[in-house]
Amino acid sequence: LVNMRSGPGERYPIEWVYKRVNMPVEIIDAYEYWYKVKDFENTSGWMHKKMLSQKRYGLTAPNGKTAVYKKEDATSDVIAYFDGSSIVQLLKCSPKSAFCLISYEQLKGYVLKKDIFGVYPNEEID
C-alpha cells in the first residue's frame, strides 16, 4: 500500500491509498524527500521518495484493447491484447519510434506509446 498525501510530510492527511503494485505516476514537483505526483486520472498529491521505484512502468489504455506487436511495426503480428488498465514494465522507448518495448509476466512485445500512460511521446527509456 502506498499513501498519497495532501502535502509533503507525514503531518498532512492521506488523500488516497494505492493498492496496485508499480502503478505509474508522473513526478511534477519535489520537496526534500517528497514528490508531488499525478496519476492517469489526473489525481495529484505527495508521496515519499522511498515509495517510488527507479524501474519504469506504464498503464495500458483504460478503455479498450491495447495490442502487443511482435515487432516495432503496426503491420507485424499481434501477439496479445490487454483489456483495460494493465501495468506493464517499460523496457525500451525511443524518441524516433511510436512504440515501446514492454514486459508483462513472460510476455515481451511492442505497444504504441499513445496507448500507454507513463511515457512521454519523445522520451527515451533504455
Side-chain angles (χ1 to χ4, degrees):
L1 300 177
V2 176
N3 296 330
M4 179 186 279
R5 296 181 177 271
S6 64
E10 290 184 0
R11 70 181 183 273
Y12 291 94
I14 296 169
E15 299 286 330
W16 293 96
V17 177
Y18 288 84
K19 296 180 180 180
R20 290 181 72 186
V21 176
N22 299 321
M23 180 64 81
V25 293
E26 177 183 7
I27 296 173
I28 55 177
D29 201 358
Y31 178 77
E32 294 178 356
Y33 297 106
W34 293 86
Y35 290 102
K36 188 172 188 181
V37 298
K38 179 173 65 170
D39 69 15
F40 74 101
E41 294 177 315
N42 272 338
T43 301
S44 63
W46 293 83
M47 291 182 180
H48 194 277
K49 83 178 227 178
K50 69 181 178 184
M51 296 292 113
L52 302 174
S53 171
Q54 294 296 321
K55 291 183 180 180
R56 293 293 301 274
Y57 292 89
L59 190 68
T60 61
N63 301 318
K65 287 189 175 184
T66 300
V68 182
Y69 297 93
K70 186 174 184 176
K71 297 179 182 173
E72 197 173 358
D73 181 346
T75 63
S76 74
D77 292 340
V78 174
I79 57 175
Y81 286 101
F82 289 110
D83 285 327
S85 302
S86 297
I87 297 172
V88 298
Q89 186 172 0
L90 301 172
L91 301 176
K92 185 174 185 172
C93 300
S94 168
K96 298 175 184 174
S97 175
F99 291 86
C100 286
L101 176 62
I102 61 97
S103 173
Y104 180 84
E105 296 179 358
Q106 307 302 321
L107 174 72
K108 279 190 182 176
Y110 293 88
V111 174
L112 286 164
K113 285 181 189 175
K114 70 176 184 60
D115 292 336
I116 303 173
F117 169 83
V119 62
Y120 298 113
N122 293 317
E123 185 174 11
E124 181 153 3
I125 297 171
D126 199 2

